[in-house]
């Protein structure tokens, strides 16, 4: 059994207390669930005057084994004999309360109508943890409000925030994360989690869960790909943000990721149990949806579900999110695992203890539901939350470019303004968003800000087309939701507005009813969607040139499923209906695309003669990459790019408002457009926030949380997770970015003076104050985000070029100066020493860089740190192969299904390097623990100083009978002495776990 966390009472003491406890009062809300109430009393697990740990153990003692096993599923049943209500884990709340599932409707998705804040990347772009804590508080409060109305649907365990680091902007879920930097990510997630939880020291408003542990940044084959994490990269980068937030007790658990890490599925990875050591409070950890079944399905890691479920519990996961509302399969598998001895009741108790601890902290068993139990649905979309949403959306906006002070616009001098673009008249939500309670679009925000004395012209800049069949008929889109069919005559019912989203994808909005065309029942096309939406996004199409016309290809995400088949083209059937039934363009219906109105011509007409043209362009969150769909490129859609270029040609006073969820390669715009503003999809207040910035009511101070590359060619393979080796993120990249990490401009200017440290030298256990005076040297008030980066000059190991250590968003009036002070601990400068498997502070000089971005350093200081010198490796003791210093063409995989990591070669000639080994005792032999699951003998060559350097000897590895079947092999080595670099070079299928040289 895993030990009880040290903050709990000893189990002996708790049981002694629990033994004397009697039944307590009824659960608040229990009668609403039709549950019989226990007799009211002053003691028992409902007695809020007793320690929570004692109450928990008393309740655990009362539960039968069957009741405890049933609690392991996402949908925990009621326990009428104890007056305990049902409980559900998991309500989505990434940037506002979003959606949940209805148990009574077989798990159907129920979407809230609630305050929608900017997408997560937008929240982080504020660089304002105090503000984000307020956002978290609003989200937790609205979750309570919905819970008060429908507790069976709206559970209080919230699956947010997403802490995965944004190391590749092509990741389809880029919008869900905060930053490519672990410190910034940890700071924002800590603030959001604290806000959700509330201020009470013992009870929480709602229970945030961190997603997705660990190293999950690709959607392509996300269930079966393995993220290769050498130890330094794992500890210093991928774990760091999770560790920061959990150490601050700003979350109540983690969710396991779908992917594998070093060959082992995260759903059974025992690293999850180790994260408990980072938090002072008990964690309740959950699987991602369907994760348990992947273990025996796509991942084929365990043969039976009882084996898999046992491994999941032993890995440190407490709640199974699987099989929708059907808990029976989980219960059956766990019971079988108990019968087979794969689990003990103590294992079940430990998981249930973690679940109950969360439920107690939520106040479920307290009178009136605890300090947050009185919140009701009146809090949702309150005036205060609307104001907070507007402020957050405004603070998140980043001014990317502003040549010759093109912004802010003077609303008193702008007599004619054009607002143009696909996103100018629409606000889009995403997969993890609530429905908007109201909408302020960019157009409406600008119009309201300018007032009646300004003429605002607008167009979405999209082509309006009609589709004519070879026999002269036209496609008709009725004003209802009947299937599209052919009819005679090009009337208004035959017209579609074509929205281009890049990668060939378009959406078609029917003029007849303003709704989007969807793939519907019986493969028909219907115009029934308010916006592109749904898991498979069935509003996606391609207009493919063919035989002098075009064919319509259905491109919904479901076409990638094996069950969909190869019929993806549209043909007109015998009844004249448009149906997706053709398997190739040759058997599809060829349409003539008649342009009724040119979108770019309309854009030019609107822009010509305007005092300013505001082009609002960007992405659609359901289409341009999202869960289960990575981006192939990061360009602005060609049709939108064309509109931007023509508008700029017609009116050089063009401002680009880019609205999307990821870095975009807008090199043309950067070279040509005077001013560029970026915002993510920011919720109902988007238009007001943009207008505030464009017209100077607010001075922009958002900062980029990711490096924006000039081209996708600057990026490594999306499946390469080693940011050090692949030179990824601002920390290691040497490529010149389009916009650097931390970039963002202002309508005023700032200077940095009087930079100093409180001491020039500190020891490994010390700390230093780093201060700088920041002055607003412009003529208007504004915020500056002061950023502190460090670089270690001397090290045994490769160090980041820069690494963010602290930041502070400071508001300054015109002419005001303020000193900003950071505390930097020497321990913060530690890195992972693979030679001894520990954190180490080396003796070194560190550059301290203070500035406005990672590339805009205003002041530099030096700091000497007295730590230690990493000694040379001792090759005569057991050395884990994974603790190499460098490598080529190798893969990390699981040593056993439970523990450890093995190095294997992906190609002959793959190698691992061990730098600076001390061969004082010479070399006479080598022994190694190896596996070989092939039918042929493999080899590992032992070489010095280079992969092709002097060969000391060769380990021959005969077949061992399986990848997890190991044996120790030995070989004699030629003599060598001194401090050298050791290379182990692979030939054939061999897994190397550890080795030791003999002197």
């Amino acid at each position: 059994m895993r030990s009880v966390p040290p903050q709990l009472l000893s189990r002996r003491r708790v049981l002694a207390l629990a033994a004397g406890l009697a039944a307590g009062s009824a659960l608040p809300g229990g009668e609403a669930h039709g549950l019989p109430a226990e007799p009211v009393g002053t003691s028992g697990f409902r007695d809020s005057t007793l320690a929570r740990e004692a109450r928990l153990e008393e309740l655990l003692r009362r539960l039968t084994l069957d009741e405890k096993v049933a609690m392991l599923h996402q949908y925990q049943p009621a326990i009428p004999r104890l007056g305990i209500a049902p409980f559900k884990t998991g309500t989505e709340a990434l940037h506002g309360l979003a959606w949940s599932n209805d148990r009574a409707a077989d798990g159907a998705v129920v979407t809230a109508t609630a305050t929608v804040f900017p997408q997560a990347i937008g929240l982080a772009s504020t660089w304002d943890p105090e503000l984000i804590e307020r956002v978290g508080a609003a989200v937790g409060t609205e979750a309570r409000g919905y819970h008060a109305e429908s507790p069976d649907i709206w559970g209080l365990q919230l699956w947010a925030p997403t802490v995965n680091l944004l190391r590749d902007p092509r990741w389809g879920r880029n919008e869900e994360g905060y930053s490519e930097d672990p410190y910034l990510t940890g700071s924002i997630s800590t603030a959001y989690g604290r806000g959700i939880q509330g201020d009470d020291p013992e009870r929480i408003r709602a229970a945030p869960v961190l997603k997705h542990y660990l190293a999950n940044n690709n959607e392509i084959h996300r269930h079966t790909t393995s993220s290769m994490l050498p130890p330094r990269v794992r500890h210093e980068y991928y774990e760091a943000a999770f560790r920061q937030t959990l150490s601050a007790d700003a979350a109540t658990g983690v969710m396991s990721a779908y992917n594998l890490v070093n060959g082992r599925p995260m759903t059974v990875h025992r690293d999850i149990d180790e994260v408990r050591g980072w938090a002072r409070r008990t964690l309740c950890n959950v699987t991602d949806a369907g994760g348990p079944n992947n273990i025996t399905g796509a991942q084929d890691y365990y043969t039976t579900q009882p084996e898999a479920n046992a491994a999941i519990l032993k890995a440190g996961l407490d709640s199974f999110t699987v099989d929708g509302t059907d808990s029976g399969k989980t219960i059956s598998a766990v019971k079988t695992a108990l019968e087979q001895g794969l689990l003990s009741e103590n294992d079940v108790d430990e998981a249930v203890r973690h679940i109950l601890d969360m439920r107690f902290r939520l106040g479920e068993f307290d009178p009136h539901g605890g300090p947050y139990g009185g919140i009701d649905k009146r809090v949702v979309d309150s005036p205060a939350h609307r104001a907070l949403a507007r402020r957050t959306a405004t603070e998140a906006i980043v001014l990317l470019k502003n040549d010759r002070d093109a912004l802010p616009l003077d609303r008193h001098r702008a007599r004619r303004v054009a607002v143009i673009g696909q996103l100018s008249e629409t606000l889009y939500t995403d997969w993890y968003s609530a429905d908007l309670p109201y909408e302020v679009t960019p157009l409406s925000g600008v119009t309201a800000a300018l007032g009646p004395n300004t003429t605002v012209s607008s167009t979405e800049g999209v082509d309006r087309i009609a589709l004519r069949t070879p026999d002269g008929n036209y496609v008709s889109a009725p004003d209802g939701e009947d299937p599209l069919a052919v009819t005679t005559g090009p009337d208004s019912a035959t017209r579609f507005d074509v929205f281009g989203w890049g990668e060939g994808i378009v959406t078609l909005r029917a003029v007849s009813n303003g709704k989007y065309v969807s793939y519907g029942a019986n493969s028909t096309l219907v115009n029934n969607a308010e916006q592109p939406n749904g898991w498979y996004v069935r509003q996606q199409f391609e207009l493919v040139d063919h035989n002098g016309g075009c064919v319509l290809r259905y491109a919904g995400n479901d076409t990638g499923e094996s069950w969909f088949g190869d019929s993806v083209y549209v043909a007109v059937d015998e009844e004249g209906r448009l149906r997706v039934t053709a398997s190739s363009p040759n058997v599809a219906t060829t349409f003539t695309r008649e342009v009724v109105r040119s979108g770019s011509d309309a854009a030019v007409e609107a822009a010509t003669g305007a005092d300013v043209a505001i082009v609002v362009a960007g992405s659609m969150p359901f289409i341009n990459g999202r869960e289960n769909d990575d981006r192939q490129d990061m360009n602005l859609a060609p049709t939108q790019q064309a509109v931007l270029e023509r508008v700029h040609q017609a009116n050089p006073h063009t401002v680009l408002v880019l609205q999307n969820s990821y870095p975009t390669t807008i090199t043309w715009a950067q070279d040509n457009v005077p001013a560029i503003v970026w915002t993510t999809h920011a919720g109902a207040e988007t238009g007001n926030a943009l207008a505030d910035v464009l017209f100077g009511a607010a001075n922009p101070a958002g900062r980029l949380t990711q490096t924006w590359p000039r081209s996708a060619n600057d990026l490594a393979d999306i499946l390469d997770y080693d940011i050090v080796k692949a030179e990824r993120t601002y920390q290691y990249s040497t490529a010149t970015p389009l916009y650097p990490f931390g970039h963002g401009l202002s309508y005023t200017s700032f200077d940095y003076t009087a930079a100093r440290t409180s001491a020039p030298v500190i020891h490994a256990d010390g700390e230093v104050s780093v201060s700088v005076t920041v002055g607003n040297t412009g003529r208007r008030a504004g915020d500056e985000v002061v950023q502190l980066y460090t670089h270690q000059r001397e090290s045994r190991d490769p160090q980041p070029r820069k690494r963010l250590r602290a930041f502070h968003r400071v508001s300054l009036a015109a002419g005001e100066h303020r000193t900003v002070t950071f505390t930097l601990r020497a321990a913060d400068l530690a890195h992972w020493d693979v030679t001894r498997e520990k954190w180490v502070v080396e003796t070194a000089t560190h550059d301290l860089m203070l500035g406005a971005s990672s590339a805009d350093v205003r002041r530099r200081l030096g700091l000497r740190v007295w730590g230690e010198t990493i000694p040379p490796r001792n090759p005569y003791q057991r050395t884990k192969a994974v603790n190499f210093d460098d490598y080529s063409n190798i893969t990390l995989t699981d040593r056993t299904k439970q523990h450890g990591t093995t190095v294997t070669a992906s190609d002959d000639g793959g190698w691992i390097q061990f730098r600076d080994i001390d061969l004082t005792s010479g070399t006479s032999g080598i022994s190694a623990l190896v596996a070989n699951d092939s039918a042929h003998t493999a080899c590992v060559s032992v070489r010095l100083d280079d992969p092709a350097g002097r060969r000391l000897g060769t380990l021959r590895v005969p077949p061992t009978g399986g990848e997890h079947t190991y044996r120790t092999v030995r070989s004699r080595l030629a003599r060598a002495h001194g401090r050298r670099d050791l290379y182990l070079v692979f030939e054939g299928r061999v897994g190397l776990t550890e080795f030791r040289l003999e002197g």
Side-chain angles (χ1 to χ4, degrees):
M1 182 184 75
R2 293 184 293 274
S3 61
V4 179
Q7 74 273 17
L8 301 185
L9 299 173
S10 72
R11 183 167 176 80
R12 179 176 297 177
R13 180 184 169 199
V14 168
L15 290 177
L17 283 169
L21 298 178
S25 60
L27 168 67
E31 294 180 2
H33 287 86
L35 300 174
E38 284 199 313
V40 175
T42 59
S43 62
F45 67 88
R46 301 189 191 280
D47 185 350
S48 60
T49 66
L50 295 175
R52 183 178 75 255
E53 294 83 1
R55 298 170 66 194
L56 187 157
E57 293 297 336
E58 161 65 6
L59 176 54
L60 187 64
R61 182 187 65 80
R62 294 184 181 207
L63 297 174
T64 67
L65 179 58
D66 283 349
E67 289 168 343
K68 289 184 288 191
V69 170
M71 280 189 170
L72 301 178
H73 191 264
Q74 178 185 19
Y75 287 90
Q76 302 173 29
I79 305 176
R81 68 183 187 86
L82 296 177
I84 294 176
F87 186 89
K88 172 187 172 293
T89 63
T91 293
E92 301 294 352
L94 191 60
H95 53 109
L97 183 69
W99 55 267
S100 189
N101 303 93
D102 187 352
R103 185 197 309 247
D106 199 27
V109 171
V110 181
T111 303
T113 300
T115 306
V116 178
F117 293 94
Q119 291 176 304
I121 191 173
L123 296 179
S125 297
T126 67
W127 291 61
D128 191 343
E130 291 182 5
L131 175 66
I132 302 310
E133 186 165 345
R134 291 180 57 195
V135 171
V139 174
T141 298
E142 295 199 359
R144 277 280 178 175
Y146 264 88
H147 176 77
E149 180 180 79
S150 302
D152 284 346
I153 298 175
W154 301 100
L156 291 175
Q157 189 198 54
L158 307 186
W159 287 349
T162 295
V163 186
N164 299 93
L165 297 170
L166 305 183
R167 49 115 207 164
D168 193 310
R170 294 167 299 187
W171 184 36
R173 303 180 75 169
N174 199 82
E175 67 200 33
E176 297 182 35
Y178 291 134
S179 170
E180 71 183 45
D181 180 78
Y183 178 75
L184 177 58
T185 297
S187 299
I188 299 298
S189 60
T190 295
Y192 193 69
R194 279 178 172 163
I196 287 173
Q197 289 183 164
D199 298 327
D200 190 275
E202 288 298 320
R203 299 295 181 268
I204 53 178
R205 183 188 288 117
V209 171
L210 306 183
K211 302 193 299 187
H212 309 83
Y213 195 82
L214 183 70
N216 176 202
N217 284 127
N218 61 276
E219 297 305 294
I220 182 172
H221 306 310
R222 62 179 180 168
H223 298 99
T224 55
T225 53
S226 179
S227 305
M228 193 180 103
L229 305 187
R232 273 198 68 196
V233 174
R234 172 189 149 198
H235 291 298
E236 295 177 25
Y237 189 68
Y238 292 102
E239 288 181 352
F242 288 92
R243 187 169 58 244
Q244 182 178 344
T245 304
L246 291 171
S247 297
D249 287 324
T252 62
V254 301
M255 173 187 286
S256 58
Y258 284 130
N259 56 292
L260 298 83
V261 166
N262 295 345
R264 184 178 295 109
M266 284 309 304
T267 311
V268 292
H269 211 301
R270 296 201 177 187
D271 279 5
I272 289 178
D273 202 32
E274 294 176 12
V275 306
R276 298 188 191 279
W278 299 340
R280 291 187 296 272
R281 292 184 180 272
T282 299
L283 301 180
C284 176
N285 299 327
V286 304
T287 75
D288 205 341
N293 286 348
N294 291 338
I295 303 300
T296 54
Q299 293 166 342
D300 193 24
Y301 202 70
Y302 283 103
T303 304
T304 68
Q305 207 59 47
E307 291 177 285
N309 285 15
I312 290 167
L313 284 173
K314 288 181 177 292
L317 289 157
D318 308 306
S319 180
F320 290 73
T321 314
V322 68
D323 299 318
T325 61
D326 180 10
S327 62
K329 296 176 183 177
T330 295
I331 292 171
S332 176
V334 171
K335 285 185 174 180
T336 300
L338 287 165
E339 292 167 0
Q340 294 176 350
L342 302 172
L343 287 173
S344 70
E345 187 170 354
N346 283 339
D347 293 317
V348 174
D349 284 353
E350 195 71 359
V352 173
R353 185 177 285 111
H354 301 151
I355 294 167
L356 291 177
D357 184 85
M358 176 184 61
R359 293 178 67 169
F360 270 101
R361 291 186 69 197
L362 286 167
E364 180 180 347
F365 306 114
D366 290 346
H368 311 296
Y372 303 106
I375 297 173
D376 61 29
K377 201 175 178 183
R378 288 174 293 182
V379 301
V380 176
D381 188 34
S382 67
H385 289 179
R386 289 190 175 196
L388 181 62
R390 181 169 181 167
R391 177 183 169 185
T392 307
T394 304
E395 281 203 21
I397 292 174
V398 181
L399 181 60
L400 295 176
K401 180 184 178 182
N402 194 25
D403 275 3
R404 299 182 180 179
D405 296 326
L407 293 176
L409 304 171
D410 187 338
R411 72 181 70 207
H412 302 295
R413 300 177 67 178
R415 296 303 179 188
R416 183 180 173 194
V417 174
V419 182
I420 299 164
Q422 282 192 188
L423 285 84
S424 62
E425 301 179 24
T426 306
L427 296 183
Y428 290 114
T429 56
D430 60 44
W431 179 248
Y432 287 101
S433 173
D435 289 334
L436 299 175
Y438 62 98
E439 295 184 23
V440 183
T441 66
L443 174 61
S444 58
V446 168
T447 302
L450 288 171
N453 296 324
T454 300
T455 300
V456 179
S457 57
S458 67
T459 176
E460 291 173 298
V462 298
D463 286 350
R464 179 164 290 178
I465 68 169
L467 294 174
R468 180 165 54 85
T469 59
D471 58 5
N473 291 327
Y474 286 85
V475 174
S476 172
D479 58 8
E481 296 181 1
D482 294 329
L484 272 63
V486 293
T487 186
T488 57
D491 57 23
S492 62
T494 68
R495 296 172 185 173
F496 302 90
D497 292 332
V498 183
F499 291 78
W501 300 111
E503 298 183 23
I505 300 298
V506 300
T507 52
L508 304 172
R509 188 180 64 194
V511 174
S512 57
N513 65 355
K515 294 186 178 182
Y516 289 85
V517 175
S518 305
Y519 175 83
N522 299 316
S523 305
T524 59
L525 301 187
V526 293
N527 51 312
N528 64 350
E530 296 290 342
Q531 287 190 3
N533 64 84
W535 180 252
Y536 288 119
V537 196
R538 288 174 167 152
Q539 294 77 38
Q540 299 180 87
F541 296 90
E542 291 182 63
L543 291 166
V544 182
D545 292 340
H546 183 69
N547 286 344
C550 69
V551 295
L552 192 60
R553 180 183 180 274
Y554 171 58
N557 305 81
D558 47 350
T559 59
E561 301 286 358
S562 59
W563 46 261
F564 191 87
D566 58 0
S567 296
V568 294
Y569 293 93
V570 173
V572 178
D573 70 9
E574 295 178 354
E575 298 177 20
R577 297 176 301 175
L578 271 65
R579 300 181 62 201
V580 181
T581 56
S583 59
S584 74
N586 292 330
V587 294
T589 298
T590 301
F591 300 98
T592 298
R593 173 178 171 165
E594 297 181 355
V595 178
V596 179
R597 184 194 65 195
S598 164
S600 60
D601 286 351
V604 168
E605 181 181 351
T608 300
D611 296 313
V612 64
I614 301 169
V615 177
V616 189
S619 69
M620 200 286 151
F622 278 90
I623 292 175
N624 293 105
R626 44 146 285 186
E627 185 165 356
N628 216 32
D629 183 17
D630 292 317
R631 274 173 289 281
Q632 301 304 306
D633 67 49
M634 298 175 294
N635 300 323
L636 196 61
T639 52
Q640 296 189 55
Q641 179 68 31
V643 166
L644 176 62
E645 292 184 20
R646 289 200 64 193
V647 167
H648 179 261
Q649 184 179 28
N651 189 333
H653 302 293
T654 295
V655 175
L656 171 61
V657 173
L658 183 64
Q659 186 178 14
N660 63 13
S661 317
Y662 51 89
T664 309
T665 47
I666 51 170
T667 51
W668 183 92
Q670 173 61 24
D671 292 341
N672 293 278
V673 178
I676 305 173
V677 167
W678 175 79
T679 178
T680 189
H681 297 277
E685 290 288 343
T686 297
N688 282 332
L690 282 170
D692 287 345
V693 167
L694 292 173
F695 296 103
N699 192 344
R703 299 292 185 263
L704 296 180
T705 67
Q706 276 181 287
T707 303
W708 284 39
R710 300 191 67 85
S711 165
N713 294 331
D714 294 339
L715 302 174
D717 185 344
I718 195 172
L719 299 179
D720 188 343
Y721 278 75
D722 188 345
I723 67 163
V724 181
K725 183 81 169 176
E727 297 183 340
R728 305 192 82 140
T729 80
Y730 80 94
Q731 291 191 28
Y732 293 97
S733 177
T734 58
T736 301
L738 180 63
Y739 304 114
F741 173 82
H743 172 73
L745 305 177
S746 172
Y747 295 154
T748 189
S749 56
F750 302 92
D751 66 5
Y752 287 62
T753 59
R756 60 177 61 89
T757 59
S758 58
V761 179
I762 59 174
H763 292 277
D765 59 353
E767 63 182 32
V768 65
S769 295
V770 184
S771 61
V772 65
T773 298
V774 182
N776 183 342
T777 57
R779 292 182 293 179
R780 65 170 69 221
D783 289 4
E784 173 71 331
V785 179
V786 184
Q787 302 165 40
L788 171 63
Y789 297 86
T790 69
H791 167 69
Q792 183 174 328
R793 293 183 193 171
E794 311 92 15
S795 177
R796 177 195 182 278
D797 302 309
Q799 293 296 324
R801 292 158 51 86
K802 293 185 183 78
R803 182 161 178 180
L804 182 69
R805 299 298 184 180
F807 62 90
H808 182 62
R809 181 165 174 153
V810 57
S811 298
L812 296 172
E816 182 182 3
H817 289 70
R818 191 177 304 171
T819 298
V820 176
T821 302
F822 302 111
T823 298
L824 182 65
R825 301 183 310 146
D828 296 334
L829 304 174
H831 75 278
W832 187 258
D833 174 20
V834 294
T835 72
R836 295 171 295 173
E837 296 186 308
K838 70 171 189 174
W839 292 99
V840 59
V841 177
E842 289 182 287
T843 295
T845 299
H846 292 258
D847 294 315
L848 310 183
M849 294 163 278
L850 293 149
S853 81
S854 61
D856 185 5
V857 174
R858 307 290 183 86
R859 289 290 181 266
R860 292 177 181 268
L861 299 166
L863 177 68
R864 186 67 176 171
V865 177
W866 289 107
E868 61 178 302
T869 299
I870 298 174
R873 287 182 182 267
N874 177 2
Y876 308 111
Q877 63 185 14
R878 181 175 62 90
T879 299
K880 293 180 182 177
V882 71
N883 286 328
F884 49 71
D885 290 296
D886 198 5
Y887 65 92
S888 176
N889 291 324
I890 60 96
T891 300
L892 299 182
T893 187
D894 52 334
R895 175 175 175 174
T896 70
K897 290 184 181 294
Q898 294 78 34
H899 298 286
T901 302
T902 289
V903 177
T904 64
S906 48
D907 293 298
D908 279 356
W911 51 262
I912 50 178
Q913 177 212 49
F914 298 84
R915 190 182 307 120
D916 190 23
I917 65 169
D918 187 353
L919 298 177
T920 299
S921 299
T923 54
S924 64
I926 182 173
S927 60
L929 188 64
V930 292
N932 178 359
D933 66 345
S934 75
H936 306 284
T937 296
C939 297
V940 178
S941 296
V942 183
R943 296 180 180 270
L944 291 181
D945 303 327
D946 187 89
R950 178 190 172 199
R951 183 163 63 182
L952 299 182
T954 300
L955 280 166
R956 294 179 59 80
V957 183
T960 62
E963 61 179 328
H964 295 134
T965 303
Y966 294 89
R967 62 176 291 183
T968 299
V969 298
R970 185 183 180 281
S971 175
R972 295 182 61 83
L973 296 180
R975 302 297 292 179
H977 292 83
R979 289 174 66 168
R980 312 289 290 271
D981 292 346
L982 179 73
Y983 286 80
L984 301 180
V985 184
F986 294 79
E987 301 170 22
R989 289 180 63 92
V990 57
L992 175 63
T993 294
E994 59 187 50
F995 69 93
R996 184 176 64 84
L997 298 187
E998 299 167 4

